[in-house]
Every structure is written in structure tokens, then in C-alpha cells.
Amino acid sequence: MQLEDLNALAEKEHATHKKTCLRTCMSAGCLSSQSDKLKKNLDAAVTAAGLTADVEVRRVGCMGFCGQGPLVGVDHPDGHSKLYEHLTPDDATKLVGELQGKPSGLPFGDEKHPFFARQMRIVRANGGVIDPERIEAYIAAGGYRALLQVLTENTPAGVVEAVTKSGLRGRGGAGYPTGLKWATVARAAGPKKYVVCNGDEGDPGAFMDRSILESDPHLVLEGMAIAAYATGADQGFLYVRAEYPLAISRLNLAIKQAKAIGILGANIFETPFSFNVEVRIGAGAFVCGEETALMASIEGKRGQPRPRPPFPAESGLWGKPTLLNNVETFANIVPIIQRGAEWYASIGTEKSKGTKVFALTGKVKNNGLIEVPMGITLREIVEDLGGGAPDGHEIKAVQTGGPSGGCIPQQHLDTPVDYDSLGQLGSIMGSGGMVVMDDTTNMVEIARFYMEFCRDESCGKCIPCRAGTVQMHQILNKIIERRATAEDLKQLEELCDMVRQTSLCGLGQTAPNPVLSTLRFFRHEYEELLQPASAPHAPNSNHS
């Protein structure tokens, strides 16, 4: 496989495109609303109308506007497009009839809607455009040229330098500089190294990585292969939770396709570089999003974290140097190689470069997946892209970072979305979950919800997390049931500090964050539920 072979495949793929394309979303969200039956009916309707010579019905990945699905984007010969929303399988004949000039009355969206217009799609550029189950479609969109380029034109050190200059930080939550991590693995001694992609997305309300894997699996594979070349690895693992069967299926298909044409496996692009990738399926434990627990799971052990150092870059899988990044981080690599580190570094803020994909959910009019430049404000996201709170309500807070994050109140919505600004408010960027809450939301109950999640997901290895999350949940219950006193609230705060300071891994260390952030900004909601100091305790107060 050489450049001319890639170009030939791309030309052949372009030749299959027809004048009009009905892009039908076949990702998990729309599939749950029968988009598979809709596509089948569209195929039948196009055939029945005698339009097969000029009209194609294309399976595509996520378009992002998930709350409006099933979605079909219609690309017309004159270049304009129209996005149809809330379709059903029975709408297929009407939609095809509209191509023949028959008014359908089907609902469609405004292409200039801020939900689309305010986005900057880099990682998700192919989402909703190409067929994720055909490598030819990815190659026709420019795929695998970046890998070919680095293998034939760049040294491994040059690739690491480019990633470093881009300013990319890990999109899994901590925001560690990606280039620094790659450089550490590249310097590590030893003939055997690994590259691992963390696809164990477990935050409530988060589906960014699932969508990327379902919509553009080759983009992630290409990013992993470039990382392997840069760091000296020859084996990769994609760790994906079992709750993502479509992502797993498309990844396995993508690996098979890439191997078949010599883009994965031995002597890629007829160079000395070899790289194999396998998919490992996780059982869905939240703690396996922590890198040492994830690696233990890949090794066939119980998914529990271990103390660091040594860090995975020095001693990871089976004691070998291991590079571990998440799905979105690897998905950023190809655009950086293709368009240059300087271009990427020009996007975002001084310390947070590029774009970030968020799953925008909760009490907001426009739910879905968005990709926005770093530095955009929370207000722009929830009010412009999200359309604000529904039913005339006001936005009360935005929760970022999942169970490890915090709740940012309405008065701080003008905060720019970057690693440092969110940290100053007691929250984190996290992997990209963003849950909007309106003025009907009880913040103490929100804190209890996240604490219940952390309690249930604690692996139990260290006492502070195992016992502390249970005790904090009990006190939150006591407060909500109006049985708690000021002394209980004080104990809750002490427990938060103890668990944060002494837990073994990030799950425990960040578990108190939702409690601490709601106490910081909504303390009055806690205090309103406390018993007066002089009031006798409720009869069942000793049940806690």
C-alpha cells in the first residue's frame, strides 16, 4: 500500500457517490429510535421511485443533534443541504417524494442554528458524513495519509515534537500534556512497549467517546498507530466497555479492514514499522477508567488501581512502558499531523489548546454532542448552542466533569471553558460530560446522586474511599430527610477532606467534589434542611 494506492481507493469511492445523498444517522442514539428501519425504508422508497441512479442512502455516524433524532441529512446536487428531524420509518416515502417535488411537511432544522453554527468540528469532522463501516469512505475523506506521512517523512522524535508544540492535553479528564507523556514513553528503555486507548467512558450523561468510536473508528486507529510509531510500540489495545456494543463491532470491523489492505499489521505502508491492535471489552466498572485499574483489567486481573509511581509510561502493561490516552486524545492526532502543530495551537486559550467535545444534556432545550473551541464560555454553550432551559425556567447550574467534577452556579456562566478556569471553581473539565440544571433542581439531591454513584462504583481497595463514600452518602440522606444537625454538616465536610486527601486513586480523591462545590455555592440549601440547634433529634436519628 502506497500513496497512489490510497488515491486510487479514494477516487473509486468518490465515483460511487451520487447526485443526491440521504445521510441517515446509524449511531446508538438514532438507532434506538428505529433509524435502521428508516434507512431500510428509504432504500426501498428510492428503488420504488426509480431514483437509484441519482440518489444514494448512506449510513453515517452521529450528527450531534441527538435530542432531535432520528436524523437524515439530504445533500442536493446544487450543494445545499437540509436536515430532517424526528423522523419515523413511515416517513421514508414522504421524504423521497419531496426529492421529486412533492411537499412532505416533514420537520427539518435550520442549518444556521447556533447549535451547528457555533461549533468547530475537528475531531468530529467526519461524523454524520462518512459511512463508519467502510474504510474506503475514510480514505476518501483523507484518511491514513497522516500515518503514511509520518512513516515516510518524519522521525519518531519529530512526531513527538509536533504533538508537544500543538499544546494538546489529555482529553480523559486530568489534562496532562500529551506530548510530555509521549516523550516519556519514547525515552523509556526496553524492546517492548504498548499503546492503550481508554474507551471506558463511565461518567453519567457522557457519550462523547462512544460517538467518536461509532462514527469514525479509523480516526482513532490512525491516531494510535502514529502514537505507536512515535513511542516505539508495536502493540495496541482498545479498552471499551461492554455497554458499547456498536462501537466494539465497528472497531473490530475497522481493524479487520485496515489489516486486509496493509495499514495495520506487519510492515505498514511497506516500511519496517509494524503495529497490531486488539479490542479488550471491559465489564463496565467505573474505576477501570483509572489507568492502572484499566491495565490490570487488560492483564486479566481484577480492575483495581495501584499506587504510583511507577507510572505506566515507565512500567505499565506487564511491566512494560505503556502510553495510555483516551479516545478523543487519539482522535486529535491526525488533524494535528495533517494541518500542523501551529494551526492547532492557534485554537483555544494560552494553556488549553484545540477543541473539546461535550455531551450537552440535562435541563437544556438542545441536547446532543457538540465540539467547541477551548475558551468558549459556559453561557455560550448552554444559552446559545443549548438554547437555555426549557419551559420558561432559568438555568441554575452546570455540572462538568461527571462524578469527579463540580456544579458551577449561574453567576459563573461567563467562565471560559478551559482546564484552569474550571479548576478555580472547584470543578474539572473531565472527559466532557456537561449536565445543565434549572431552577427546579435541588442541589443537595444532586450531590447525593453523585455520591451514591461513587459509593456504588468504589472498588473497595482503600478504606477512605470504600467507607468514606458510604458515610458521606448516609449524611446526605440524613440532611435530605431533615434529620441532620449542623454537627452532621461539619462531619460531612471533614469526611470530604479526609477522602480527598487519603484515597488511593482519582475516583476517591475526587468523589467529594460534587458535595464540596454545592456546599461552596449552594450552602443555604443544605442549611435550610438542618434541624434547629435547640430542636430535639427525630426519633429515628440513630439509624444513620
Side-chain angles (χ1 to χ4, degrees):
M1 177 66 68
Q2 293 290 326
L3 179 59
E4 52 267 29
D5 300 314
L6 284 177
N7 290 338
L9 280 172
E11 289 177 12
K12 188 177 180 181
E13 178 68 11
H14 286 306
T16 66
H17 293 175
K18 299 179 181 177
K19 294 179 181 177
T20 301
C21 181
L22 308 183
R23 293 176 287 109
T24 309
C25 179
M26 297 286 277
S27 283
C30 284
L31 280 171
S32 67
S33 300
Q34 298 186 306
S35 68
D36 52 344
K37 292 184 179 178
L38 173 61
K39 182 181 180 300
K40 182 180 178 181
N41 290 355
L42 284 170
D43 281 321
V46 168
T47 300
L51 298 175
T52 54
D54 295 324
V55 178
E56 65 171 301
V57 183
R58 184 185 303 167
R59 167 184 47 222
V60 297
C62 180
M63 299 183 191
F65 216 0
C66 307
Q68 310 298 315
L71 300 166
V72 174
V74 179
D75 299 330
H76 292 276
D78 63 2
H80 87 275
S81 299
K82 202 169 179 180
L83 182 64
Y84 292 85
E85 306 169 349
H86 295 300
L87 297 179
T88 71
D90 294 337
D91 292 328
T93 302
K94 289 181 183 176
L95 183 53
V96 173
E98 189 160 301
L99 300 179
Q100 299 172 303
K102 304 172 185 174
S104 69
L106 294 174
F108 60 90
D110 179 4
E111 293 178 43
K112 297 179 181 177
H113 191 289
F115 184 86
F116 300 107
R118 296 297 307 275
Q119 293 196 45
M120 179 182 285
R121 291 172 54 130
I122 296 175
V123 168
R124 287 187 22 79
N126 290 333
V129 178
I130 69 170
D131 184 342
E133 297 190 8
R134 302 186 71 251
I135 191 172
E136 297 86 352
Y138 181 69
I139 291 172
Y144 288 114
R145 267 70 165 194
L147 177 59
L148 175 62
Q149 175 189 321
V150 301
L151 293 185
T152 57
E153 300 178 17
N154 302 116
T155 64
V159 178
V160 173
E161 183 180 2
V163 174
T164 303
K165 285 184 175 178
S166 74
L168 175 66
R169 296 170 65 170
R171 298 297 195 248
Y176 191 80
T178 303
L180 182 58
K181 182 180 281 189
W182 286 31
T184 305
V185 179
R187 284 196 304 269
K192 188 70 177 179
K193 299 178 185 178
Y194 296 100
V195 167
V196 175
C197 179
N198 183 350
D200 194 61
E201 182 176 56
D203 291 1
F207 52 95
M208 305 78 56
D209 291 350
R210 171 178 62 75
S211 178
I212 294 171
L213 293 174
E214 290 177 352
S215 303
D216 207 359
H218 287 285
L219 179 69
V220 180
L221 288 177
E222 188 175 3
M224 290 181 67
I226 292 171
Y229 172 71
T231 58
D234 64 359
Q235 176 68 51
F237 292 98
L238 269 152
Y239 189 85
V240 187
R241 54 180 44 224
E243 290 97 324
Y244 289 178
L246 182 61
I248 292 168
S249 171
R250 287 182 176 167
L251 280 170
N252 280 320
L253 178 61
I255 292 169
K256 182 178 178 181
Q257 292 171 340
K259 281 185 175 179
I261 61 173
I263 291 179
L264 284 179
N267 303 116
I268 295 172
F269 288 122
E270 301 177 25
T271 70
F273 174 65
S274 299
F275 183 58
N276 285 290
V277 183
E278 298 176 33
V279 175
R280 288 287 188 269
I281 302 174
F286 182 67
V287 73
C288 285
E290 198 276 341
E291 58 186 12
T292 61
L294 184 152
M295 290 188 295
S297 179
I298 290 178
E299 292 174 349
K301 303 170 185 173
R302 183 174 179 178
Q304 287 188 318
R306 62 164 171 78
R308 297 172 296 177
F311 292 95
E314 300 164 328
S315 179
L317 275 176
W318 294 288
K320 308 299 181 184
T322 301
L323 174 69
L324 202 150
N325 284 132
N326 87 326
V327 171
E328 188 180 343
T329 308
F330 282 123
N332 270 289
I333 299 304
V334 170
I336 289 172
I337 299 299
Q338 287 178 327
R339 304 180 69 172
E342 292 77 12
W343 161 79
Y344 192 84
S346 69
I347 303 166
T349 68
E350 181 182 356
K351 295 182 179 178
S352 300
K353 303 296 186 183
T355 59
K356 181 73 191 78
V357 180
F358 290 100
L360 183 62
T361 61
K363 301 290 184 64
V364 65
K365 291 177 183 174
N366 305 319
N367 286 276
L369 211 61
I370 59 171
E371 182 175 1
V372 291
M374 293 281 195
I376 190 172
T377 66
L378 283 168
R379 188 181 303 283
E380 290 174 290
I381 291 177
V382 299
E383 294 187 355
D384 295 345
L385 283 80
D391 304 323
H393 289 284
E394 297 291 328
I395 291 174
K396 183 175 184 178
V398 179
Q399 206 272 352
T400 66
S404 302
C407 297
I408 300 170
Q410 193 273 345
Q411 63 265 32
H412 289 294
L413 288 185
D414 291 317
T415 300
V417 176
D418 61 58
Y419 292 99
D420 303 300
S421 298
L422 295 181
Q424 290 170 8
L425 293 174
S427 189
I428 61 173
M429 181 82 71
S431 59
M434 185 174 285
V435 182
V436 182
M437 301 160 190
D438 69 8
D439 50 19
T440 66
T441 305
N442 182 312
M443 303 309 290
V444 186
E445 291 186 355
I446 289 294
R448 181 175 66 171
F449 166 79
Y450 283 110
M451 188 54 65
E452 182 176 6
F453 179 88
C454 292
R455 180 200 65 182
D456 292 346
E457 293 293 339
S458 174
C459 75
K461 184 172 182 176
C462 74
I463 293 174
C465 177
R466 182 179 71 227
T469 54
V470 171
Q471 292 175 13
M472 287 189 287
H473 185 260
Q474 288 175 340
I475 294 176
L476 288 166
N477 270 336
K478 195 173 178 181
I479 293 172
I480 289 171
E481 293 167 3
R482 296 178 180 272
R483 297 185 288 108
T485 65
E487 189 63 27
D488 292 309
L489 190 58
K490 181 182 177 185
Q491 185 180 16
L492 177 64
E493 292 179 286
E494 291 173 351
L495 278 167
C496 285
D497 184 60
M498 182 275 293
V499 171
R500 188 165 64 168
Q501 297 292 336
T502 59
S503 291
L504 173 61
C505 79
L507 189 153
Q509 292 163 6
T510 58
N513 282 357
V515 176
L516 290 170
S517 68
T518 50
L519 273 170
R520 176 179 175 184
F521 296 115
F522 304 96
R523 190 179 187 89
H524 63 283
E525 294 194 23
Y526 286 81
E527 292 175 340
E528 289 169 359
L529 295 172
L530 298 179
Q531 289 191 355
S534 58
H537 288 186
N540 59 346
S541 62
N542 61 344
H543 291 175
S544 65

